[in-house]
């Protein structure tokens, strides 16, 4: 083996993609992944979809099989939560375990589900970030169970759709007047809410959960901010994420909402890089967090190039993500700026197959599609062409 010893802290998509990328780029030295989880890296998107539906076996969500790690010469070390980084000594410390030296370090510790104090510690409260979370939740999604989902974001809505498909009675509690309002604007948010309602999902919008306690029948009783109560057998919290940077408290790296990196993946410490959801990119527009599957993979590929001294590929992140719910494939890129108008350019919202542009001052800022991947691709390409920023290119060179 030759070349720098690469240590990757994390055990998700970004960790695995970084390891694969450095091998693709011809790196022959040591590559170690130190993951806090005790199961091999898996893909998270199915956790709120097919896996939660109990329609996928464990091996179908694995990012790589055991023989892939062997073939690529990647040392995957599970159950190794890293608790400290010494950027001067070039070491990381595993809890109760060894001090591991590195020549290049990649921080890919992702994020955790944001806790909601009012239900934290309640026996029937569930988060959804890990495969273990999904298995626990799947065990309670049974016919006739009452499920309260706090938070009408993508994960909350996917859980709602899956729970309905499993015969549960589902109520989504959303602080905003409609689910996903800030992400997709009022027209699309209303359309999506109507689709969910048509599938039997109930909504309590414009309210928050003020208190939680035991319901007389043994479930949870949620008291909402408008004074009403909602009883549920299980409460699923989907109110965003907290980037996993706590272990870096003493490392002296710049940490904001996440680990601050330039677009090529460099932190402000030599030989330390960031990839995936843990990262907030420093850009001319301020800090931009990584937060979706495609962006996490892209940032891993860029970090892999950079740490090997190669120019990072110009993979422009356009905020793309997809979501599958109620049998619909939703795709989004760009932004729905406040005040922008949603204009359907193909299909028809009434038929559940359409593509629309978010328009502000005659300029397209974002694209949203339902069950129309071809037209989405065309619109997305146009969006990217219109927004390709020379500044971003410069940072990546
Ligand atoms: C339920 C769910 C559904 C999703 N669906 C979609 C979707 O449909 N479309 C989409 O675009 N995106 C989706 N996403 C988002 C996507 O999965 C994430 O963007 C992606 O998983 C980020 O990968 P990551 O490796 O950066 O972080 P993570 O997946 O969070 O992985 C981080 C890993 O690091 C480990 N770790 C943390 N701290 C330490 C430490 N100190 N030491 C060692 N290891 C540590 C963690 O245990 C974890 O294994 C979904 C996410 C979830 C949770």
């Amino acid at each position: 083996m030759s070349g720098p010893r690469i240590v990757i802290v994390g055990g998700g998509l970004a960790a695995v993609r970084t390891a694969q990328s450095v091998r693709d780029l011809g790196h022959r030295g040591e590559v170690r992944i130190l993951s806090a989880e005790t199961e091999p890296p898996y893909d998270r998107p199915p956790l709120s979809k097919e896996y939660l539906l109990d329609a996928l076996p464990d091996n179908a969500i694995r990012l790589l099989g055991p023989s892939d790690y062997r073939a690529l010469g990647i040392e995957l070390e599970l159950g190794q939560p890293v608790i400290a980084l010494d950027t001067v000594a070039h070491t990381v410390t595993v809890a109760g375990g060894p001090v591991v030296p590195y020549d290049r370090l990649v921080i890919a510790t992702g994020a955790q589900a944001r806790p909601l104090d009012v239900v934290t510690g309640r026996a029937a409260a569930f988060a959804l970030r890990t495969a273990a979370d999904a298995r626990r939740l799947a065990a309670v999604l049974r016919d006739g169970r009452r499920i309260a989902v706090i938070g009408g974001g993508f994960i909350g809505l996917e859980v709602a759709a899956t729970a309905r498909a499993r015969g549960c009675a589902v109520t989504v509690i959303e602080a905003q007047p409609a689910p996903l309002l800030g992400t997709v604007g009022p027209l699309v948010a209303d359309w999506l809410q109507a689709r969910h309602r048509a599938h039997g999902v109930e909504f309590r919008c414009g309210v928050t959960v003020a208190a939680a306690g035991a319901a007389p029948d043994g479930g949870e009783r949620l008291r909402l901010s408008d004074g009403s109560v909602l009883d549920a057998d299980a409460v699923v919290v989907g109110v965003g994420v907290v980037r996993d940077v706590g272990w870096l408290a003493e490392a002296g790296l710049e940490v904001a909402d996440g680990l601050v990196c330039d677009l090529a993946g460099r932190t402000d410490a030599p030989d330390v890089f960031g990839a995936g959801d843990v990262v907030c990119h420093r850009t001319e527009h301020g800090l931009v967090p990584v937060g979706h599957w495609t962006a996490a993979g892209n940032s891993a590929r860029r970090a892999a190039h950079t740490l090997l001294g190669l120019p990072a590929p110009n993979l422009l992140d356009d905020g793309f993500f997809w979501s599958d719910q109620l049998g619909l494939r939703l795709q989004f890129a760009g932004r729905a700026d406040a005040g922008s108008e949603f204009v359907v350019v193909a299909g028809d919202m009434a038929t559940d197959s359409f593509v629309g542009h978010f328009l502000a001052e005659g300029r397209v800022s974002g694209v949203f599609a339902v069950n129309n991947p071809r037209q989405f691709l065309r619109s997305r390409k146009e969006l990217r062409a219109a927004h390709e920023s020379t500044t971003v290119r410069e940072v990546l060179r």
Side-chain angles (χ1 to χ4, degrees):
M1 291 272 186
S2 62
R5 290 165 302 177
I6 297 172
V7 173
I8 303 169
V9 181
L13 178 80
V16 171
R17 290 290 181 263
T18 307
Q20 287 177 294
S21 296
V22 295
R23 287 289 185 240
D24 286 349
L25 292 167
H27 174 67
R28 307 203 29 195
E30 192 177 292
V31 179
R32 286 174 82 170
I33 294 180
L34 303 175
S35 172
E37 293 196 55
T38 50
E39 59 188 295
Y42 51 84
D43 219 7
R44 287 180 207 276
L47 301 184
S48 46
K49 309 175 184 79
E50 308 93 312
Y51 192 69
L52 191 60
L53 205 54
D54 254 352
L56 276 186
D58 284 355
N59 62 10
I61 61 168
R62 299 283 170 235
L63 288 166
L64 294 177
S67 58
D68 299 317
Y69 292 100
R70 276 196 299 277
L72 288 165
I74 298 168
E75 291 171 49
L76 174 63
E77 298 175 42
L78 300 175
Q80 303 291 307
V82 173
I83 51 168
L85 160 63
D86 184 334
T87 59
V88 177
H90 275 53
T91 59
V92 289
T93 305
V94 176
V99 173
V100 178
Y102 66 83
D103 298 314
R104 307 276 190 281
L105 178 74
V106 180
I107 295 172
T109 47
Q112 295 179 14
R114 184 179 292 282
L116 189 67
D117 287 350
V118 72
V119 295
T120 298
R122 304 291 313 166
F126 294 82
L128 182 53
R129 184 75 196 176
T130 66
D133 291 340
R135 289 191 287 270
R136 269 194 299 274
L137 181 57
V140 302
L141 298 184
R142 299 272 174 253
D143 221 7
R145 293 271 173 90
R146 299 159 305 168
I147 310 298
V149 178
I150 306 178
F154 276 108
I155 289 182
L157 291 179
E158 288 178 357
V159 169
T162 304
R164 278 300 298 141
R166 295 189 61 158
C168 302
V170 181
T171 305
V172 174
I173 302 161
E174 167 56 50
Q176 296 296 312
L180 276 170
L181 191 59
T183 312
V184 296
L187 194 63
V188 175
D190 285 349
W191 169 82
L192 193 53
Q193 189 175 9
R195 300 311 301 128
H196 274 270
R197 282 204 166 113
H199 278 77
V201 177
E202 294 193 9
F203 286 86
R204 307 293 299 274
C205 291
V207 293
T208 54
V209 178
D217 63 1
E220 290 291 319
R221 170 157 290 181
L222 302 178
R223 195 167 295 280
L224 307 185
S225 54
D226 63 358
S228 62
V229 295
L230 180 68
D231 289 347
D233 300 305
V235 177
V236 185
V237 179
V239 294
V241 297
V242 181
R243 295 185 163 73
D244 219 328
V245 288
W247 65 282
L248 294 168
E250 307 293 320
L253 298 176
E254 186 182 351
V255 168
D257 189 22
L259 174 67
V260 179
C261 295
D262 68 13
L263 281 163
R266 297 180 201 93
T267 67
D268 45 12
D271 303 321
V272 181
F273 305 84
D277 275 11
V278 72
V279 166
C280 271
H281 284 305
R282 192 189 300 111
T283 75
E284 59 175 320
H285 308 295
L287 294 177
V288 179
V290 173
H292 298 294
W293 193 91
T294 306
N298 283 351
S299 75
R301 283 176 60 201
R302 289 198 293 255
H305 281 76
T306 311
L307 71 87
L308 293 176
L310 301 168
N314 189 9
L315 308 164
L316 282 184
D317 291 324
D318 59 3
F320 168 72
F321 62 83
W322 81 92
S323 173
D324 296 321
Q325 40 189 287
L326 312 170
L328 304 170
R329 162 57 59 109
L330 314 182
Q331 292 171 294
F332 181 91
R335 293 186 322 267
D337 286 336
S340 61
E341 189 190 355
F342 184 71
V343 178
V344 174
V345 297
D348 182 349
M349 289 178 89
T351 64
D352 291 347
S353 171
F354 62 93
V355 180
H357 292 174
F358 293 97
L359 277 173
E361 293 166 3
R363 205 160 171 258
V364 180
S365 66
V367 180
F368 179 79
V370 177
N371 287 351
N372 202 332
R374 281 187 181 199
Q375 178 59 39
F376 175 77
L377 204 61
R378 280 196 285 273
S379 290
R380 186 182 177 198
K381 274 188 185 152
E382 285 165 27
L383 177 77
R384 288 173 71 125
H387 287 262
E388 205 148 306
S389 144
T390 48
T391 322
V392 171
R393 283 179 175 282
E394 276 158 23
V395 176
L396 292 176
R397 280 223 175 89

